[in-house]
Amino acid sequence: MKTLTHNENISLILSMGLMLIIARIFGEFFRKLKMPLVVGELIAGVVLGPTLLGHFYPELSELVFTKNINASYALGGIINVSVIMLLFVAGMELDLSLIRQQGKAAFTTSSLGLVIPLGFGFVAAYYFTPYFGENSSDILAFSLFLGTAMSISALPVIARTLMDLGLFRTRVGSIIIASAMIDDLIGWILFSMTMGMLKGSANHSIILTLMYTLTYAVLMLTFGRILINKSLPWAEKHFSWPGGFLSISLGLAFLGAALTEYMGLHAIFGAFIVGIAFGDSVHVTEKTKDIVNQFVTNIFAPLFFVAIGFKVNFILHFNLQITLLVIGIAILGKVFGASLGAYLGGLNKKESLAVGFGMNARGAMEIILATLALQAKLIGEELFVAIIIMAVLTSVMAGPMLQWLLKSKVLQKSEK
Amino acid sequence: MSSDAVIFEKIAVAVAFSPRCEAILAEARLLQQTFGSNMVFIHVGKNSLQEELYLKHLLHRFGLDQPENKTIWKEGDPVDVILEICQQEKIDLLVAGALEKESLLKYFMGGVSRQLSRKVKCSLLMLTEPNIHPKGLTQIVVEGTDHPKTENTIAVAVEVAKAYHAKKVNIIQESDLSKLALIRSDELKENEAGLRKKQLLKEEDEKLKEILRCTDCGNLEVKVERIEGKPGYVISKFARDCQADLLVVSSPDKQLNLLDRVFPHDIEYALSDLPCNLLIVHSKEQD
């Protein structure tokens, strides 16, 4: 195994230390402003990256973050591992039983909340590609990506907003959560398929990619899930716990990620599905999940989100037309689709609209999706910046919109 | 031993000529004595003279051959026939024998009693270890999860416990905190997370207190306990660990199918491996 030199080691450790501390400071500042932590972490990256520090003090930026090429590679590797762990945790949060329990309203909300924005995004990207500043040779993959990006929802942001408004346990709240979970699951399957279809990576046909994706997901969520559930009590008896769980679960997440990457799908998909299988086990307590969660979301997630700011100059690549287009399609598609679904599922107009705006929050998942697409060169910098802005905006507007639309319900709750 | 509040006016018993047939009829006799119910005995299969005479003999032996009781023989699919008769006869409680655990294939395909538990529109008592000399009930475990059906389920469980002179009723509040994890993963301080959890659970506690305030528990020892984990699994495990005689749960909100067995939730955890006798309470108000 090759090792880093003394200076490269210092550079790597220095970068990681600074990234973590600055991300936390910015994150906490934005948390005080009632915004998701991820917004602060993202802005920390913008400040440290080529947009600000690199622009005004290029020597300082290079010295700390990019001077050592080997250290940069090592940091890149850590960040790749971070996103795999992030998706593993996202998978653990997905509750299959909650999805199964929901009735017609969740089904119609999730179906239309997925199909309509997916359709809007796909059609817009397919027929109006140049308007997105893209000249992709792989129009099908690009269109599928944009459709998927429009249809994904951010569970933590939604859950937090519902909790703040005291609507977590209401019918509307349950429908939003279950629908967002379904859309997330299908969204990641679609994204994995898109990556598998990309020329330059696996370059599978759409049928083959679909077959690989579904085979992996079905096998892992049935036999894999049962096997994990049956093995955990044995592991708990023989290994130190919850340390043992941390090693086994993350170890299997990496194996799953390696397998899907080998199959030509994206590594994150493998980890995501392993996460669902672990999260569903009756032997995994909330305390154990919490430990994995804290470990990943407080160490690896900030590294990943700060690093996004290093990839692109947000000012240089800001394009108003593309940004407005992306925001318009995203909000219109998701709010219209999910609201229509909720309305057809039996909710009244205001509640339906609230469901639409609730599910409109894109948050961290959208940012991960866009980053991976940028890495795979599926999208360019301008579209990437537009998607990031859309993700932040939709996450920030979800709370006030829900509060406004469900004013009477919120009031009832607070009076109680 | 007789209950003041007749909660099961009409009880049906699914009779199969299995080795446990006599024990199930003995338990049925105790149920009739306890609740003063009218009985309907259902046998799905061909009506042969030999079997008819045998059933008559058994009913006579257990004192169940009163004129107000009824025996129905019908051919067809056991589950469909039993469901049809239960609906026609307006049955309040169906009693059936059930194995603690079925083979994997049978579980996924669905044995008769498991299929009944997923489809029946009345309360169902699944007897895992019927005894020719019924021992009655000492310890009952009841689902106390925050749900519109819980009030009725607790009321039925308490009545059953009183009628059987049970010693103890454990009401289990199952807290599935997976939803809380969604927020925690975002950005909560430890004390904030604790506060959120308290807020979530406070509402549940108050509702349960109100239910218990309105329920006449008599001299019954009622203990409320909160356990964190997957609903259905934790209560089932608790019932097994404390060697309960009866687990009382609410009927599922929707008809369960194969997917619910593949991705189990709630009652499916109990059905996959019955910890003890299981009473699934179907609330008529919910129909």
Side-chain angles (χ1 to χ4, degrees):
Chain A
M1 193 165 71
K2 280 185 179 175
T3 50
L4 296 176
T5 62
H6 178 70
N7 284 341
E8 286 166 348
N9 246 334
I10 292 173
S11 176
L12 175 68
I13 299 164
L14 186 70
S15 304
M16 285 177 64
L18 283 174
M19 283 164 84
L20 279 176
I21 291 168
I22 296 172
R24 178 51 60 178
I25 292 168
F26 274 78
E28 289 299 332
F29 176 72
F30 279 86
R31 203 171 72 90
K32 291 258 183 304
L33 300 176
K34 299 251 171 215
M35 284 193 205
L37 207 69
V38 63
V39 176
E41 292 167 352
L42 211 66
I43 290 175
V46 173
V47 171
L48 295 176
T51 315
L52 291 175
L53 189 70
H55 183 74
F56 294 109
Y57 303 99
E59 303 83 16
L60 184 64
S61 179
E62 263 190 30
L63 181 76
V64 181
F65 296 108
T66 49
K67 198 177 176 186
N68 265 303
I69 197 83
N70 285 338
S72 281
Y73 282 143
L75 187 61
I78 292 169
I79 285 158
N80 278 347
V81 168
S82 303
V83 75
I84 289 171
M85 288 200 272
L86 260 172
L87 260 291
F88 171 72
V89 168
M92 273 213 314
E93 284 164 5
L94 228 126
D95 188 345
L96 289 177
S97 56
L98 188 77
I99 294 174
R100 286 287 313 137
Q101 286 168 56
Q102 296 306 315
K104 190 183 163 196
F107 175 74
T108 51
T109 307
S110 58
S111 308
L112 294 180
L114 180 94
V115 171
I116 292 180
L118 181 82
F120 275 28
F122 185 91
V123 170
Y126 198 84
Y127 292 104
F128 307 101
T129 317
Y131 288 95
F132 293 94
E134 299 291 320
N135 194 14
S136 178
S137 57
D138 209 337
I139 293 224
L140 184 65
F142 171 66
S143 310
L144 250 177
F145 163 75
L146 202 70
T148 310
M150 298 296 125
S151 60
I152 217 151
S153 291
L155 269 172
V157 176
I158 295 171
R160 174 89 193 259
T161 310
L162 289 170
M163 186 63 131
D164 281 343
L165 299 176
L167 301 170
F168 204 56
R169 311 198 125 213
T170 59
R171 186 168 173 234
V172 177
S174 294
I175 290 171
I176 294 177
I177 293 282
S179 308
M181 281 183 180
I182 300 171
D183 287 1
D184 258 13
L185 178 63
I186 301 175
W188 285 110
I189 290 178
L190 283 173
F191 179 70
S192 184
M193 279 178 55
T194 312
M195 299 307 260
M197 284 160 56
L198 271 186
K199 291 185 175 72
S201 62
N203 197 12
H204 293 320
S205 70
I206 190 160
I207 301 289
L208 194 65
T209 314
L210 183 68
M211 213 178 75
Y212 279 159
T213 311
L214 291 182
T215 306
Y216 176 79
V218 169
L219 287 180
M220 190 46 90
L221 291 180
T222 50
F223 297 113
R225 187 178 54 88
I226 292 167
L227 205 67
I228 286 170
N229 192 41
K230 295 256 182 232
S231 318
L232 280 177
W234 180 89
E236 191 170 1
K237 204 173 158 191
H238 293 91
F239 299 161
S240 59
W241 215 254
F245 178 81
L246 210 63
S247 318
I248 294 170
S249 61
L250 286 173
L252 280 176
F254 291 141
L255 290 180
L259 180 65
T260 46
E261 186 78 31
Y262 174 75
M263 287 160 75
L265 310 172
H266 203 284
I268 51 153
F269 182 66
F272 180 64
I273 299 289
V274 171
I276 299 177
F278 265 100
D280 193 61
S281 172
V282 291
H283 304 294
V284 181
T285 62
E286 284 312 311
K287 201 178 162 196
T288 312
K289 278 187 195 174
D290 194 25
I291 291 169
V292 183
N293 223 321
Q294 298 288 350
F295 172 67
V296 174
T297 52
N298 290 304
I299 299 172
F300 293 95
L303 287 179
F304 174 76
F305 290 116
V306 172
I308 289 171
F310 291 180
K311 291 181 195 297
V312 177
N313 185 325
F314 275 69
I315 293 173
L316 198 70
H317 293 106
F318 174 74
N319 183 315
L320 187 65
Q321 177 201 310
I322 298 175
T323 307
L324 289 177
L325 197 61
V326 166
I327 290 172
I329 296 170
I331 295 178
L332 203 69
K334 197 71 177 180
V335 174
F336 174 63
S339 302
L340 183 67
Y343 187 67
L344 294 177
L347 266 64
N348 67 35
K349 278 181 192 166
K350 259 194 172 173
E351 283 175 340
S352 303
L353 211 55
V355 169
F357 275 101
M359 284 185 63
N360 187 38
R362 303 307 209 284
M365 290 299 116
E366 184 77 69
I367 295 167
I368 296 174
L369 200 82
T371 310
L372 296 175
L374 179 75
Q375 263 175 9
K377 297 191 170 51
L378 183 60
I379 59 170
E381 278 93 347
E382 289 185 340
L383 184 56
F384 172 76
V385 171
I387 293 175
I388 301 292
I389 293 172
M390 178 270 282
V392 173
L393 183 75
T394 51
S395 304
V396 170
M397 69 190 279
M401 286 306 291
L402 269 173
Q403 191 160 20
W404 179 63
L405 285 162
L406 296 173
K407 211 180 282 171
S408 56
K409 277 195 163 51
V410 176
L411 275 175
Q412 274 173 20
K413 280 266 166 190
S414 56
E415 276 163 15
K416 272 182 192 174
Chain B
M1 181 160 51
S2 170
S3 168
D4 293 336
V6 184
I7 47 172
F8 303 122
E9 280 181 27
K10 215 169 184 183
I11 297 177
V13 183
V15 182
F17 295 112
S18 65
R20 302 200 301 175
C21 177
E22 289 183 24
I24 286 173
L25 288 175
E27 297 278 0
R29 169 71 180 155
L30 182 61
L31 280 165
Q32 189 196 26
Q33 285 177 340
T34 308
F35 298 108
S37 324
N38 290 337
M39 307 296 283
V40 176
F41 301 96
I42 307 169
H43 177 75
V44 185
K46 246 187 179 169
N47 186 351
S48 75
L49 187 65
Q50 196 188 353
E51 282 182 341
E52 199 178 328
L53 285 173
Y54 179 57
L55 183 60
K56 267 187 184 165
H57 159 73
L58 285 179
L59 294 180
H60 178 72
R61 191 179 139 198
F62 290 104
L64 290 163
D65 55 350
Q66 295 112 327
E68 60 271 23
N69 293 347
K70 205 176 187 181
T71 306
I72 300 175
W73 296 73
K74 205 170 176 184
E75 285 180 50
D77 176 73
V79 176
D80 292 342
V81 170
I82 294 170
L83 291 176
E84 189 192 317
I85 294 171
C86 284
Q87 210 148 4
Q88 276 170 4
E89 296 289 328
K90 296 195 171 90
I91 298 296
D92 299 304
L93 174 70
L94 171 66
V95 181
L99 292 174
E100 262 181 43
K101 203 170 181 173
E102 287 179 332
S103 68
L104 200 66
L105 184 70
K106 200 171 178 189
Y107 171 70
F108 279 107
M109 299 304 287
V112 173
S113 55
R114 255 83 170 173
Q115 280 198 59
L116 285 171
S117 71
R118 293 174 186 119
K119 294 178 179 172
V120 75
K121 294 276 182 230
C122 65
S123 295
L124 171 71
L125 176 61
M126 295 169 82
L127 297 168
T128 51
E129 280 178 28
N131 200 309
I132 193 107
H133 303 294
K135 290 179 284 184
L137 304 168
T138 324
Q139 184 154 332
I140 297 177
V141 174
V142 195
E143 179 187 359
T145 311
D146 180 22
H147 191 280
K149 287 180 179 174
T150 299
E151 186 173 359
N152 180 61
T153 305
I154 291 177
V156 169
V158 166
E159 283 307 320
V160 170
K162 277 160 54 182
Y164 273 95
H165 302 298
K167 284 181 188 159
K168 199 173 173 186
V169 170
N170 284 293
I171 299 178
I172 304 300
Q173 289 177 289
E174 300 166 286
S175 313
D176 183 11
L177 296 175
S178 55
K179 283 183 181 177
L180 190 75
L182 293 176
I183 327 159
R184 189 182 50 219
S185 67
D186 206 15
E187 59 249 21
L188 283 182
K189 282 184 183 173
E190 202 175 345
N191 58 345
E192 281 176 332
L195 207 68
R196 300 269 165 160
K197 188 173 157 183
K198 257 189 192 166
Q199 275 171 0
L200 267 178
L201 304 182
K202 195 180 154 199
E203 222 174 285
E204 278 185 13
D205 289 344
E206 279 170 2
K207 277 186 198 168
L208 186 62
K209 263 186 203 160
E210 183 60 22
I211 290 173
L212 287 175
R213 208 177 54 81
C214 302
T215 310
D216 174 21
C217 298
N219 294 324
L220 207 60
E221 185 192 340
V222 177
K223 200 176 164 201
V224 178
E225 206 164 323
R226 179 178 288 286
I227 311 177
E228 288 180 16
K230 294 250 177 202
Y233 174 77
V234 286
I235 195 169
S236 193
K237 189 172 180 295
F238 180 87
R240 189 184 304 280
D241 291 347
C242 73
Q243 293 176 319
D245 306 296
L246 180 69
L247 170 62
V248 186
V249 297
S250 304
S251 60
D253 289 333
K254 63 180 182 79
Q255 220 174 47
L256 304 170
N257 56 37
L258 182 67
L259 268 180
D260 297 289
R261 270 160 269 169
V262 178
F263 301 110
H265 57 91
D266 302 297
I267 198 173
E268 282 296 346
Y269 285 118
L271 291 175
S272 66
D273 190 1
L274 289 170
C276 57
N277 298 322
L278 176 70
L279 173 61
I280 302 169
V281 179
H282 182 83
S283 163
K284 284 181 180 168
E285 286 163 20
Q286 299 290 327
D287 284 339

